[in-house]
Amino acid sequence: MPADSAPINLTNHFLIAMPGLSDELFGRSVVYMCEHSDRGALGLVINKPSDILLPRLFEKVDLPLGRADLAQQPVFQGGPVQTERGFVLHDAIEAGAEGESVYASTMTIPGGLEMTTSKDVLEAMASGAGPRRVFVTLGYASWGKGQLESEITENSWLTVEADPALIFDTPVEQRYEKAMGLLGLQPWMLSPDAGHA
């Protein structure tokens, strides 16, 4: 990336894998970017469900799942980093004081969502409360300084501003095409080869 170009910030954006990206985890993936700065980036893959449903995850942490609306929701493979750790992406819930989250370990994402890693969000869900819309992953995706920008330059990813409805309301098998649709594209329109003049 030229030194005089403005840095990009892809926080609250989707990364959409180009059709030519054949990586097992990232092929045909859509990643919701929770954080992107000059130090690197962190995101959650939103279209790779695991074979674990939320009630089973709650059993593993000795909690009941007190929300019938979530009983059939899968736990997702959020990425290859810390795959034994849970991440809960959810609507913002403010405690009242200066926009602080009600949960202990929460990253507020500009654009209206939050990502919580502390058990208290699961405890709230166990009691039948908690955020109305939740998306739970094991693991996350991360990129070091300049790595994501380099992958974008190499034609691995498309980017578009995130639409929460795609995360919470769109069937999993439709998320890749719908994310492409946010750009007015269909996967068949794209060549897997980067253009070089």
Side-chain angles (χ1 to χ4, degrees):
M1 195 161 67
D4 61 345
S5 66
I8 57 171
N9 183 344
L10 296 175
T11 302
N12 194 39
H13 279 67
F14 290 136
L15 289 185
I16 308 163
M18 285 290 285
L21 186 64
S22 59
D23 179 90
E24 186 177 328
L25 178 65
F26 291 116
R28 288 187 59 87
S29 68
V30 180
V31 182
Y32 175 74
M33 298 305 297
C34 300
E35 182 177 47
H36 184 214
S37 71
D38 58 0
R39 296 183 312 276
L42 180 150
L44 301 174
V45 178
I46 65 161
N47 65 331
K48 303 282 180 162
S50 72
D51 55 4
I52 302 169
L53 294 179
L54 276 181
R56 178 80 183 107
L57 178 70
F58 274 70
E59 281 175 27
K60 287 181 182 242
V61 293
D62 297 319
L63 289 171
L65 176 58
R67 300 262 305 267
D69 61 314
L70 302 175
Q72 294 303 309
Q73 185 168 311
V75 175
F76 285 76
Q77 300 169 33
V81 183
Q82 293 189 5
T83 55
E84 71 295 334
R85 189 167 176 204
F87 298 83
V88 182
L89 188 64
H90 57 86
D91 290 312
I93 298 180
E94 293 182 7
E98 296 178 28
E100 284 184 24
S101 176
V102 297
Y103 304 116
S105 183
T106 297
M107 171 191 296
T108 299
I109 303 161
L113 297 179
E114 294 181 339
M115 193 221 2
T116 300
T117 57
S118 49
K119 192 175 178 182
D120 53 356
V121 70
L122 299 181
E123 290 165 347
M125 292 160 64
S127 71
R132 184 177 69 81
R133 300 188 304 178
V134 296
F135 175 85
V136 181
T137 75
L138 290 174
Y140 66 93
S142 71
W143 292 263
K145 180 177 182 169
Q147 184 183 1
L148 180 58
E149 292 82 350
S150 176
E151 289 181 16
I152 290 169
T153 302
E154 292 165 4
N155 211 32
S156 295
W157 301 100
L158 294 168
T159 63
V160 67
E161 191 169 335
D163 177 359
L166 202 124
I167 301 167
F168 299 113
D169 305 325
T170 303
V172 176
E173 64 278 2
Q174 296 175 20
R175 291 180 185 171
Y176 184 73
E177 282 77 14
K178 294 261 188 191
M180 285 274 191
L182 293 173
L183 290 166
L185 298 172
Q186 293 298 319
W188 60 266
M189 298 171 154
L190 302 169
S191 165
D193 302 315
H196 298 284

